[in-house]
Amino acid sequence: MNKSLKCIASAVLLVVVTFFSRSAFADSEVYTVAMEPTFPPFEMLDSKTGKITGFDVDLIKAIAKDQGFEVEINALGFDGLIPAVLTGKLDMSISGFTITDKRAKVINFSDPYIDAGIGVMKRSDDDSIQTLDDLKDKTAVVQIGSSGQKVAEDLKESGKLKAVVVMDNVALAVADLIKGRADVVINDVTVNVAYAKGSNGAIEMLKTPLNKEEYGIVISKNNPELLEKVNKGLANIRANGTYDIIFAKYFKAK
Ligand code: GLN
């Protein structure tokens, strides 16, 4: 090979190597995800690391890994999550969102990822509340914009509950209950279980749930590609056992 041919050959080689190394190490797509982290065991702040942990965090990371994208996870107030997805500030939100027709008019939901339902928490030493029929003269505290708020307002409308107080998040609602500023919290059953467990016996739940719901991941209607990836990833991790491992980590008694 003469000198100029050698030169061309090495230039071609350089271009080829750069191209392949680029595509092999190309940064994968990073999607922004937010959640409201006072909703254990779905999303909660780890006081030691300051990071958000929980079922929803593990689930979205497993979906991302399966589909070859990355997620950047942030905390946001619950009533700010859907607006942030709507305005494009966020790519998606996984935050124990109940799939409702009203929400589905403005955003897309992924396929359902877990069964849920709304229930009632009370102070353990309050004997005046034994069943749902005892709520007629009681005040409920709820999280703003939650399906629990809707259930509570419907109960009030039909005369089965006296008043509804709205707080920014579930932690504040539970604090109100413990301090006696409200009689009950109306909120998602699984999360109520976590708060009751962590309350040193101060709060307990009424046995009968108020309804049945399902959670979905919130994605903009402008991003059908992301919806497809999330649904594919969810189906894959259900099929390959990853979902079961995450479920067991948070919901199987130890
Ligand atoms: N599941 C309820 C809802 O979608 C509450 C969710 C939450 O507080 N993170 O409204």
Side-chain angles (χ1 to χ4, degrees), residues 109-130:
F109 276 111
S110 70
D111 294 332
Y113 66 86
I114 201 160
D115 292 331
I118 300 297
V120 179
M121 267 190 285
K122 68 172 197 78
R123 285 182 302 280
S124 309
D125 62 5
D126 181 355
D127 296 330
S128 68
I129 304 169
Q130 300 296 337

Side-chain angles (χ1 to χ4, degrees), residues 48-81:
K48 281 191 204 114
T49 63
K51 286 207 169 120
I52 308 171
T53 63
F55 180 85
D56 284 349
V57 176
D58 287 6
L59 192 78
I60 196 64
K61 282 188 176 165
I63 291 171
K65 193 171 169 208
D66 181 83
Q67 291 296 302
F69 63 82
E70 285 178 44
V71 284
E72 185 199 297
I73 292 180
N74 293 298
L76 200 68
F78 187 71
D79 60 338
L81 290 169

Side-chain angles (χ1 to χ4, degrees), residues 106-251:
V106 292
I107 46 86
N108 275 332
F109 276 111
S110 70
D111 294 332
Y113 66 86
I114 201 160
D115 292 331
I118 300 297
V120 179
M121 267 190 285
K122 68 172 197 78
R123 285 182 302 280
S124 309
D125 62 5
D126 181 355
D127 296 330
S128 68
I129 304 169
Q130 300 296 337
T131 72
L132 297 176
D133 296 333
D134 299 326
L135 300 181
K136 279 188 270 315
D137 59 343
K138 304 293 182 190
T139 297
V141 57
V142 297
Q143 165 169 262
I144 189 164
S146 64
S147 50
Q149 176 178 359
K150 174 82 173 74
V151 168
E153 276 160 3
D154 289 349
L155 284 175
K156 188 184 157 207
E157 195 93 333
S158 56
K160 292 177 183 152
L161 180 71
K162 194 175 110 202
V164 181
V165 174
V166 180
M167 295 301 287
D168 275 347
N169 61 49
V170 180
L172 293 171
V174 172
D176 266 9
L177 172 67
I178 291 174
K179 287 185 185 140
R181 290 196 287 249
D183 305 302
V184 291
V185 170
I186 296 185
N187 180 54
D188 303 47
V189 172
T190 318
V191 177
N192 292 348
V193 171
Y195 275 100
K197 263 194 195 156
S199 77
N200 278 324
I203 49 181
E204 61 186 29
M205 288 153 42
L206 293 194
K207 284 201 183 71
T208 327
L210 289 157
N211 69 3
K212 280 189 178 167
E213 303 187 337
E214 285 176 322
Y215 292 168
I217 300 164
V218 168
I219 300 168
S220 164
K221 284 197 188 284
N222 295 332
N223 200 345
E225 304 83 30
L226 180 58
L227 179 68
E228 200 183 319
K229 285 188 207 173
V230 166
N231 280 338
K232 268 195 193 149
L234 179 60
N236 289 347
I237 64 164
R238 277 191 192 274
N240 69 20
T242 306
Y243 180 96
D244 293 336
I245 294 169
I246 299 172
F247 187 89
K249 176 172 164 192
Y250 292 97
F251 298 112

